[in-house]
Amino acid sequence: MHDAPTPLSPNPTAPPFTPMARRFRGFLPVVVDVETGGFDWNRHALLEIAAVPLDLDEAGRFVLGDTACVHLEPAPGLEIDPKSLEVTGIVLDHPFRLAKPEKEALDHIFAPIRAAVKKHNCQRAILVGHNAHFDLHFLNAAVARTQHKRNPFHPFSVFDTVTLGGLAYGQTVLARAVQAAGMHWNADEAHSAVYDVEQTARLFCNIANQWPRTQAASE
């Protein structure tokens, strides 16, 4: 479980900081991790999505918002490499998996993201991920298959913790970057979308919070 975000403080004496809507050109960072049936987003099935919209605490630091997660039924006609299931540990016919069709699954994930975008007066979400374009490509492919009309994400821009972790800690592997940042990594829980997305979110927050919070965004 992740640390609960601290509500924004109404205290007028609190130190000023730049609101979320002015930090990234009106984009809200939302950390995403997907588990899939392979590496080809046009050929392999999307099996699980987890997402964490970022929030701000009373001092203007980035913190984790509420995690949303959903399992997906493999879309018709797509493939699943058995080796991918060995890595993720996903059991497709597990009775507690409660998988949803792609369109319904996207609705489940997108609704809280749109609410977070509205809360922070942002224009749209921007995907944060570890090897972020992998996650974005699978998400965009599902959006295209379902002809979903309310995708909150920017279609091609991302923040990638591979680059940020390499810059901040000299590490590009998620587990090593997390540990270099002084945080715990549990290899037994890795490759679960929820665990990976929350660790990626903590890593992004750890790096981004080193940036001055009172610096105004350029107009």
Side-chain angles (χ1 to χ4, degrees), residues 15-162:
F17 59 82
T18 306
M20 190 79 82
R22 294 182 57 203
R23 297 199 183 194
F24 304 112
R25 293 186 55 241
F27 298 150
L28 174 70
V30 178
V31 189
V32 173
D33 185 79
V34 302
E35 302 298 337
T36 69
F39 296 111
D40 187 336
W41 49 90
N42 291 314
R43 186 162 60 93
H44 291 121
L46 178 58
L47 302 177
E48 186 180 4
I49 309 170
V52 181
L54 296 188
D55 211 330
L56 297 173
D57 69 9
E58 61 183 2
R61 294 183 297 260
F62 292 107
V63 293
L64 279 64
D66 292 330
T67 301
C69 180
V70 66
H71 288 268
L72 294 85
E73 298 173 1
L78 297 184
E79 301 174 18
I80 298 174
D81 185 341
K83 293 181 180 179
S84 295
L85 299 183
E86 292 177 8
V87 172
T88 62
I90 292 174
V91 179
L92 293 175
D93 58 354
H94 195 288
F96 298 141
R97 189 165 177 260
L98 304 176
K100 302 177 183 295
E102 276 194 333
K103 175 63 165 59
E104 186 178 341
L106 292 178
D107 287 339
H108 180 85
I109 287 291
F110 288 168
I113 294 173
R114 288 196 301 269
V117 168
K118 182 178 180 180
K119 169 186 173 181
H120 288 285
N121 296 313
C122 291
Q123 300 173 27
R124 66 193 315 171
I126 185 168
L127 188 146
V128 180
H130 202 76
N131 293 308
H133 278 106
F134 177 86
D135 302 278
L136 184 63
H137 282 316
F138 269 95
L139 199 63
N140 282 344
V143 167
R145 281 192 296 269
T146 60
Q147 298 183 335
H148 203 289
K149 303 301 184 184
R150 302 192 69 192
N151 179 5
F153 285 101
H154 192 285
F156 54 82
S157 291
V158 298
F159 290 128
D160 198 329
T161 51
V162 170

Side-chain angles (χ1 to χ4, degrees), residues 141-192:
V143 167
R145 281 192 296 269
T146 60
Q147 298 183 335
H148 203 289
K149 303 301 184 184
R150 302 192 69 192
N151 179 5
F153 285 101
H154 192 285
F156 54 82
S157 291
V158 298
F159 290 128
D160 198 329
T161 51
V162 170
T163 303
L164 293 173
L167 177 66
Y169 306 114
Q171 299 291 346
T172 58
V173 175
L174 179 59
R176 294 179 179 178
V178 166
Q179 291 171 316
M183 298 181 290
H184 177 68
W185 178 265
N186 186 338
D188 293 334
E189 295 188 51
H191 300 296
S192 154

